[in-house]
Structure formats: structure tokens, C-alpha cells
Amino acid sequence: MRTLTCIIVDDEPLAVRQLEAYAQRTPDLQLLDSFTDSITAINVIKERQPDLLFLDIQMPNIDGMELAHSLPAQTRVVFTTAFKEYAFESYEVNALDFLLKPIRYQKFLDSVEKARRWFEHEEKTETTPSAPSVFLRVDGELRNVSVEQILYVNGMKDYVMFYLDGERKPLVTHLTMKAVEEMLPASLFMRVHRSYIVAVDKIRKVDRNDCIYIGDEVIHIPDGYLPAFRAFVETRMAK
């Protein structure tokens, strides 16, 4: 079984000591370091690149949300906080899990096991040729979705809806459209509207009014998005 490495960052010394004790009693989990100061932690995290970061959200200087945006790509975050209202914000940085204080050991262990399954899946994906996929948090669970199945994405306030080929209902998750743009391969997807990202190879037609027909949706392309879309179409037109 693969040993996972972790770092703890929490400005409460008692919380740090509790998490240290949990980490030390968990098989195949190696504690690399722990910090009560987020600024000191940043450079060490970038240098040591742990698999897991147990991270408090409400901290002085740099809070957990800010720190999470600057992590190494392979480091997964488990947020630890006393404030449940931060749960939705944690989705924006694609956090692996969210632990509400006071944290029981079984909940901590469940997060470690979830992380282990995530890394095992990633390692299998690296060794097995397959279509790229993305993890979406839907109804409290992580769902692995092949990008080949995505038709288009529709943003609605603080949520986005992923419409999939072959499924009637969209997958609803708490993300920003900017985060979705960064998540999906630019070679396969294009933002054609403030509220829409489409799989370009799934477009059935574009009519004379600059409307895209995809799935069961008709999307009118606003003027601000037309130049980039038309330039893309030019590269695909038969000569």
C-alpha cells in the first residue's frame, strides 16, 4: 500500500497537536511537518510537495483559501475548520474533503482513505491510456466524469451544470466558470458565452444568427465571444 505524505497547517496549537496524533496513529501516513503560521508553511509545502495538506481556513495573514490557490498541483487539500459555512467555498479549490471541528479520528481516517483512493486512481490513469476525466463534487460525493461525455457547461450564479451525452439531468456542482475553463482541455472546449462552455466537437451546427446547436440547447454567441469563435471555425473549415 502506498504511503501518503502530509503537512498540517492550523493557527491553533491544540488543533495541530490533535491532528499530529491522528496522523501518527494512521497506517501508511507520513507526517512531514506541521505549522501554526501559514506564511512559514508556504515555502515548505512548495519544497516538500506533500500528497495531503490538512489546512485550517480561518487564519491570520494568509487564510486557508488563499493558501490553497498556491499549492503544488499534486497536493490535495483537506480543510479543517470550526465554521461549516466555508464548505461551499472549499469546492472552488477542488478540495478533497472538508472536516468540521471538533474532528473525530474516524472522520480523519475516512479522509485519508478517500485520498488514498484518489491517488490510486490517478496512478492507474497515468499507466493506462484513456480519455482525460475530471472529478466533480455532486451531492457530497466525488464523481469521475470523462471529458468525452461532456456536451456543454452552463453557469448559474454560484453553481455550474455539466450536461453529459446520454444523461437527461445535468450534474450540478459548486464551481466558478473560470475554474471550469481551467479544468477542461482548451483543445476540446471553448467558452462561447458568459454562461456557457461547449465541447467544440459536439456542435451540430451554427446558424446564420450565430446560434450554436448542441445537445438540446441553442446558444446565441454574444458579440464579445464571436471573433475567437469565428477564428476557431476558420481552422476547421474545409478548403
Side-chain angles (χ1 to χ4, degrees):
M1 185 178 291
R2 182 183 187 278
T3 296
L4 299 179
T5 58
C6 72
I7 285 177
I8 297 164
V9 182
D10 194 311
D11 66 323
E12 301 175 11
L14 285 176
V16 169
R17 287 199 289 272
Q18 181 189 51
L19 291 173
E20 285 175 338
Y22 285 173
Q24 288 162 359
R25 66 185 281 199
T26 301
D28 301 304
L29 180 65
Q30 180 187 0
L31 177 62
L32 300 179
D33 217 329
S34 56
F35 300 89
T36 56
D37 175 49
S38 54
I39 293 179
T40 307
I42 290 175
N43 289 334
V44 177
I45 292 167
K46 290 181 178 179
E47 178 184 346
R48 305 199 71 177
Q49 300 189 8
D51 297 316
L52 277 178
L53 178 63
F54 292 95
L55 179 61
D56 188 19
I57 294 178
Q58 195 171 65
M59 294 186 291
N61 300 319
I62 299 176
D63 67 28
M65 287 296 173
E66 291 178 279
L67 196 154
H69 283 287
S70 63
L71 295 178
Q74 71 273 25
T75 297
R76 298 291 93 191
V77 175
V78 175
F79 280 119
T80 60
T81 180
F83 303 95
K84 63 181 179 181
E85 57 266 29
Y86 287 120
F88 282 129
E89 290 183 52
S90 70
Y91 299 157
E92 294 184 7
V93 293
N94 213 19
L96 187 69
D97 211 350
F98 182 92
L99 296 177
L100 192 61
K101 297 177 181 177
I103 300 167
R104 293 184 290 111
Y105 177 61
Q106 186 57 51
K107 291 290 186 182
F108 177 90
L109 192 60
D110 289 345
S111 288
V112 174
E113 289 307 308
K114 183 183 290 186
R116 199 180 307 283
R117 291 194 298 272
W118 189 90
F119 280 103
E120 286 174 355
H121 178 271
E122 286 297 293
E123 288 167 359
K124 287 179 183 177
T125 301
E126 289 174 2
T127 57
T128 305
S130 62
S133 64
V134 293
F135 278 95
L136 302 177
R137 190 179 292 275
V138 180
D139 295 330
E141 298 180 343
L142 286 174
R143 177 161 172 180
N144 189 23
V145 177
S146 170
V147 298
E148 289 186 343
Q149 197 180 0
I150 299 170
L151 291 172
Y152 62 94
V153 182
N154 180 206
M156 299 284 287
K157 293 186 178 179
D158 297 328
Y159 295 86
V160 294
M161 296 183 290
F162 283 75
Y163 287 82
L164 307 183
D165 197 5
E167 294 198 17
R168 292 178 60 189
K169 292 185 177 181
L171 300 182
V172 182
T173 186
H174 188 84
L175 280 174
T176 63
M177 288 293 282
K178 184 177 185 299
V180 175
E181 275 191 287
E182 294 172 352
M183 175 191 301
L184 297 177
S187 59
L188 301 176
F189 294 86
M190 175 174 282
R191 191 164 184 174
V192 295
H193 187 284
R194 184 171 179 271
S195 301
Y196 285 95
I197 296 171
V198 301
V200 291
D201 288 341
K202 304 290 176 58
I203 296 173
R204 298 198 310 278
K205 70 174 182 177
V206 182
D207 68 19
R208 65 185 65 188
N209 296 314
D210 298 314
C211 291
I212 290 173
Y213 290 72
I214 186 167
D216 296 326
E217 189 79 355
V218 179
I219 304 166
H220 180 258
I221 310 171
D223 291 344
Y225 291 86
L226 270 176
F229 181 75
R230 286 173 174 168
F232 164 78
V233 171
E234 281 291 326
T235 67
R236 296 289 188 97
M237 287 181 65
K239 304 298 183 182

